[in-house]
Amino acid sequence: MPVRSNGASSSSRCAVPLWQIYHDDILQVVMNPDGSLKERVLASTADALFANAKRLEDWKRALAYFESPELQLVTVTITEKGYALRGSDGALLPAVARECAAGPGAPETAMGTFAALLHARYVAGAAPIALVTTDNFSQNGRHFREAVLAIAEAWQKAGLVEDGFVSYVADEGRVSFPWTMIDRITPNPSPETETALKEQGFDDLPLIQDAHASYAGFANTEEAHYLVVEDSFPNGRPDLARGGVILCDRKTAEKADTMKVTACLNPLHTTLAVYGCLLGYTRIWQEMENADLVSLIKHIGYDEDLPVVEDPGVIDPRCFIDELVEKRLPNRALPDAPQRIATDTSQKIPVRFGHTLAAYEKDPALDPAKLIYIPLAIAGWLRYITGIDDEGKSFEPSPDPLLPELREAIAPLALGVNDTELIHRSVAPILSNKSIFAVDLYGLGLGKKIEGMLQEELAAPGAVAATIKRYV
């Protein structure tokens, strides 16, 4: 029985939550490359609630679901930053520190919430369960498990839970955290989709937008989709393969995810995101009509990423990139925005670029100093952080937890700056930060190269586009 528990609420334009208006159903709108739409009602959600300890009635219902031994698995979508327990300084995030001190009765973060729900399940009889993350980062199940277990251990150390609770969470034969790879481009609900649906007679699916998010009774997505899941379900599972899920062992799931997240899709997406914002694009498909940007992501994917990709066997890496650049990204019907993808880039870079860079560092047959296009993507990100587009106009970078400190570091840089030493002093703390890139870029022989590319992109209005053209 699927339960929607993200708690998204409507704006003031809507008196009650959208899921109540539509009785927990949603209209899936597949945006085909030829401009046609394929709609179907997804009516599999039996209940929806805001699983937050401060919402007592909803919290009681969430606890009841977890206490039931019939519950076999839970899937979650949180985004990378939701798994973090510590800030860039290594200290526990304030909310995490509070919940570690308060115990399972007062969780505040996503990880604390799942630790508390598991504690309720443990107390109710410790039935087995699988917690399945569907977030786009490598070894996602491992990170999920480590974060939840860390909070459980903090509670145990403080005497707030039973000793056996930690053993329960740590036993993958009772509580599993399967590793997964999921891939389907699903942008925020868009005005284009709302208009297209109205033309077909759907007049009761308004798009509601506020300062934080967009809400609608529809979800716009693409046709292509992949879901690879480690087959680890200690309390059993439905026949997921009937729904197209690729079930496999952990090693295969990791290879599939690593292929996609670190090489064949996500790095290309991030490159388009930062350069799209700099060049004034508002849709990814528009960027795919820029031959230089297409050339850049092809160089990254085929020339620099593929040499370190291990074929997972269940998906062919080169064919995956082929489909991405030839069919998926150019889809004019898909209203995906570079501004959406640019969100939380600092949290994504360690995986999307750092993994490949680390692979070059470890392989004696490869010389990371010879890389060109990944460094150009990183230079583009630094240029993006300045908040000045290629025409010299200010823009607001997408939300990112490290944005304030990154912008402070790079504040001396402006359009026209040509001081090599100033550029070095501004970006060296960033390019040498292993928490951002997973490696020291100067140690790889790339730091100075990236500084030089950034200097080129800061030269004058139009320098970003000119720099890309020069290298591709």
Side-chain angles (χ1 to χ4, degrees), residues 14 70 114 122 325 342 357 438:
C14 189
E70 295 181 1
F114 282 104
Y122 171 77
V325 299
L357 293 171

Side-chain angles (χ1 to χ4, degrees), residues 179-433:
W179 297 17
T180 70
M181 184 280 269
I182 187 168
D183 179 30
R184 189 170 204 174
I185 299 173
T186 305
N188 289 331
S190 78
E192 296 102 310
T193 307
E194 181 187 27
T195 299
L197 291 174
K198 284 183 177 179
E199 291 174 352
Q200 295 187 41
F202 290 95
D203 57 3
D204 60 346
L205 296 172
L207 172 62
I208 301 172
Q209 296 176 299
D210 61 25
H212 305 288
S214 301
Y215 312 105
F218 62 85
N220 37 225
T221 188
E222 64 173 336
E223 182 178 16
H225 58 279
Y226 300 88
L227 179 55
V228 181
V229 179
E230 175 191 358
D231 196 359
S232 177
F233 296 87
N235 200 27
R237 58 166 174 78
D239 185 2
L240 299 176
R242 288 185 61 191
V245 177
I246 301 172
L247 294 162
C248 56
D249 58 23
R250 176 174 293 182
K251 186 176 181 180
T252 301
E254 180 184 12
K255 288 180 181 179
D257 185 71
T258 300
M259 175 210 74
K260 180 245 178 177
V261 175
T262 73
C264 297
L265 190 152
N266 293 57
L268 283 59
H269 234 173
T270 291
T271 302
L272 290 173
V274 296
Y275 277 120
C277 293
L278 287 169
L279 297 174
Y281 291 106
T282 59
R283 291 289 181 258
I284 292 295
W285 66 260
Q286 295 169 341
E287 294 187 73
M288 295 302 292
E289 296 182 353
N290 181 318
D292 293 335
L293 289 177
V294 173
S295 180
L296 173 58
I297 64 170
K298 283 184 175 181
H299 279 306
I300 291 175
Y302 292 116
D303 300 343
E304 296 187 340
D305 286 346
L306 272 186
V308 296
V309 170
E310 189 173 0
D311 189 340
V314 292
I315 301 172
D316 180 86
R318 179 170 289 276
C319 292
F320 187 89
I321 298 180
D322 290 344
E323 180 186 45
L324 180 72
V325 299
E326 294 172 8
K327 297 180 180 179
R328 300 175 64 187
L329 296 180
N331 184 348
R332 296 173 65 95
L334 195 64
D336 205 7
Q339 292 75 17
R340 178 188 76 88
I341 300 165
T343 301
D344 300 330
T345 298
S346 71
Q347 309 301 291
K348 301 170 181 176
I349 278 183
V351 174
R352 300 188 178 190
F353 294 108
H355 184 278
T356 292
L357 293 171
Y360 272 84
E361 183 179 38
K362 294 175 183 176
D363 191 335
L366 298 172
D367 182 2
K370 292 183 178 180
L371 293 170
I372 297 173
Y373 307 104
I374 291 175
L376 186 58
I378 294 171
W381 177 57
L382 296 175
R383 178 68 177 76
Y384 160 88
I385 294 170
T386 67
I388 305 168
D389 70 16
D390 202 28
E391 294 183 354
K393 300 176 183 178
S394 297
F395 72 92
E396 186 61 34
S398 300
D400 188 311
L402 293 186
L403 188 60
E405 63 184 83
L406 291 170
R407 297 200 73 174
E408 181 179 358
I410 214 166
L413 304 185
L415 205 60
V417 167
N418 195 36
D419 186 331
T420 302
E421 182 56 33
L422 177 61
I423 292 173
H424 173 71
R425 288 199 308 269
S426 300
V427 304
I430 301 174
L431 298 181
S432 60
N433 190 336

Side-chain angles (χ1 to χ4, degrees), residues 61-106:
R61 285 159 60 201
L63 291 172
Y65 283 124
F66 266 76
E67 289 167 352
S68 170
E70 295 181 1
L71 182 63
Q72 294 179 309
L73 65 101
V74 174
T75 62
V76 306
T77 303
I78 301 170
T79 75
E80 291 100 321
K81 65 181 179 179
Y83 296 81
L85 303 184
R86 299 181 182 275
S88 59
D89 59 357
L92 286 176
L93 296 171
V96 177
R98 289 193 299 268
E99 66 188 1
C100 284

Side-chain angles (χ1 to χ4, degrees), residues 51 59 62-63 66-67 104 112-122 155:
W59 184 240
L63 291 172
F66 266 76
E67 289 167 352
T113 296
F114 282 104
L117 292 169
L118 283 175
H119 181 257
R121 189 171 182 84
Y122 171 77
W155 288 343

Side-chain angles (χ1 to χ4, degrees), residues 383 414-418 454-461 463-464 467 470:
R383 178 68 177 76
L415 205 60
V417 167
N418 195 36
L454 175 60
Q455 186 170 345
E456 293 178 60
E457 294 186 343
L458 286 169
V464 172
T467 301
R470 185 158 47 248

